[in-house]
Amino acid sequence: MTDFNSSSFQPSMLQLTGFPGQEAVYHWIAVPFLVLYVSAIVGNCLVLCIVWADRRLHQPMYWFLCMLSVNDLGMSLSTLPTVLGIFCFHFTAIVFDACLAQMFFIHFFSFMESGILVAMSFDRFVAICNPLRYAAILSNPRILRIGLAVVIKSTSMLFPFPFLIKRLPICKSNVLSHAYCLHSDVMRLTCADTTVNNICGLFAITITYGLDSLLIILSYVKILMTVLNIVSREQRLTVLNTCVSHICAVFLLYVPTLGVPVIHRFWKNAPQLVHILMSYVYVFVPPVLNPIVYSVKVKEIRKGILRIFSRLLM
């Protein structure tokens, strides 16, 4: 029986869900998740070590890349305890307040990633459209202020949500749909009016993903206008090639982020497996693939990784 708090009508524990009906093979399902976590943690730590060790990479572009790697590590570590707890040890229970904390951090790192991608688009805009003032505009103190601004914005957007959930009675069930806590999933368990939560959620998503994506688009419009004025075709391709890794990172975040709510809203009859897999894509794709994209497309990162592996093999 679920233990409910009589004053707030909230369960002391919630139950997380892995892949319903597949409990007998959870030990096999755990293997790809372990691979994904190891890939995300090792890949992002490698990027951080390479930038830290090579003073030539102590430049704005690589500082922003470090911010992205730290953020991806945070996203991976936010979900790791519950995901591996379910698939490795069949441990599905989570304390209600711990669930709210996990919910906050998952959405916080997602919002943070969007803000960091805006900063990286600004970096590419300055580097291509105003290269002579690049170092002056993106000085280390200004980069630090940009990072703090992204943290403050993400925190202020998400700070009310745990408290908005706490005020609602949980009475429909205590079983969540995923192996970690998401705001929409926890809110589904309530049996009270969630208008305030919905309005705040729409506002936060619009201000974060809507405004951030608009700023990224505007940056690339200005970049394209500048590139088209370059006479040499080879130079145009060289300049655009410096943006490819950032564009890939944008798609890796926004496609799953937009795909999950679109499927929930417009494909309500989709098999439960589709909803579950899309939620894992939302959480795992950016942390795992971002370091791979940057190691492939950015020559300095690729060389740094090769140097590390060559030393290990000697």
Side-chain angles (χ1 to χ4, degrees):
M1 294 292 291
T2 304
D3 179 21
F4 281 87
N5 183 307
S6 60
S7 61
S8 61
F9 300 100
Q10 290 170 346
S12 59
M13 306 288 287
L14 295 176
Q15 296 295 320
L16 300 169
T17 302
F19 290 94
Q22 304 299 318
E23 288 79 6
V25 293
Y26 270 6
H27 57 288
W28 291 111
I29 296 175
V31 174
F33 282 106
L34 282 168
V35 172
L36 290 173
Y37 277 120
V38 170
S39 301
I41 293 170
V42 171
N44 286 291
C45 286
L46 274 175
V47 171
L48 291 172
C49 291
I50 290 164
V51 175
W52 181 265
D54 192 342
R55 295 187 63 85
R56 293 172 300 175
L57 302 184
H58 292 183
Q59 302 174 27
M61 172 183 171
Y62 298 101
W63 290 137
F64 288 127
L65 178 57
C66 286
M67 291 183 193
L68 186 65
S69 293
V70 170
N71 188 79
D72 285 341
L73 284 171
M75 174 65 90
S76 296
L77 295 175
S78 295
T79 60
L80 185 147
T82 54
V83 172
L84 294 187
I86 288 174
F87 294 115
C88 293
F89 306 106
H90 295 263
F91 189 77
T92 60
I94 183 171
V95 176
F96 183 75
D97 288 337
C99 181
L100 294 183
Q102 185 184 50
M103 176 196 79
F104 174 86
F105 282 111
I106 289 174
H107 293 299
F108 170 77
F109 287 118
S110 181
F111 279 24
M112 276 281 293
E113 183 142 349
S114 181
I116 293 169
L117 291 175
V118 173
M120 295 175 83
S121 70
F122 179 66
D123 167 79
R124 292 298 84 209
F125 165 73
V126 176
I128 293 170
C129 301
N130 201 352
L132 296 179
R133 298 195 60 215
Y134 179 67
I137 293 174
L138 287 173
S139 61
N140 286 340
R142 185 162 290 164
I143 291 170
L144 180 60
R145 288 198 293 271
I146 290 173
L148 288 174
V150 174
V151 172
I152 292 169
K153 177 190 171 187
S154 301
T155 303
S156 60
M157 287 290 105
L158 289 165
F159 184 75
F161 286 93
F163 301 100
L164 290 174
I165 290 289
K166 285 280 285 186
R167 71 185 180 86
L168 298 173
I170 306 292
C171 55
K172 290 183 179 178
S173 171
N174 74 323
V175 181
L176 296 169
S177 304
H178 307 297
Y180 39 80
C181 300
L182 299 175
H183 177 256
S184 58
D185 199 20
V186 178
M187 197 168 60
R188 178 182 58 82
L189 305 181
T190 67
C191 54
D193 185 11
T194 58
T195 302
V196 174
N197 295 65
N198 289 326
I199 292 173
C200 290
L202 181 61
F203 175 78
I205 289 172
T206 303
I207 293 296
T208 301
Y209 298 125
L211 182 60
D212 288 355
S213 60
L214 179 62
L215 291 173
I216 292 171
I217 291 170
L218 289 175
S219 295
Y220 275 100
V221 168
K222 294 292 290 182
I223 288 170
L224 284 173
M225 291 172 61
T226 301
V227 169
L228 291 175
N229 289 326
I230 299 174
V231 177
S232 170
R233 181 175 179 272
E234 288 75 16
Q235 286 183 331
R236 288 201 298 266
L237 292 175
T238 300
V239 171
L240 288 174
N241 191 52
T242 65
C243 302
V244 171
S245 52
H246 176 257
I247 293 172
C248 290
V250 171
F251 279 103
L252 289 174
L253 173 68
Y254 280 97
V255 170
T257 299
L258 296 176
V260 171
V262 166
I263 287 178
H264 275 288
R265 181 172 294 274
F266 297 107
W267 194 12
K268 294 182 179 179
N269 295 326
Q272 187 180 15
L273 182 61
V274 173
H275 293 286
I276 293 172
L277 290 176
M278 281 301 297
S279 73
Y280 286 124
V281 169
Y282 164 74
V283 169
F284 283 100
V285 164
V288 172
L289 293 188
N290 278 339
I292 294 175
V293 168
Y294 277 92
S295 64
V296 170
K297 296 302 298 180
V298 180
K299 181 173 65 175
E300 289 77 8
I301 300 296
R302 185 168 64 250
K303 286 182 176 178
I305 292 174
L306 291 175
R307 282 197 300 269
I308 290 174
F309 280 106
S310 63
R311 290 173 185 172
L312 292 174
L313 294 174
M314 289 178 63

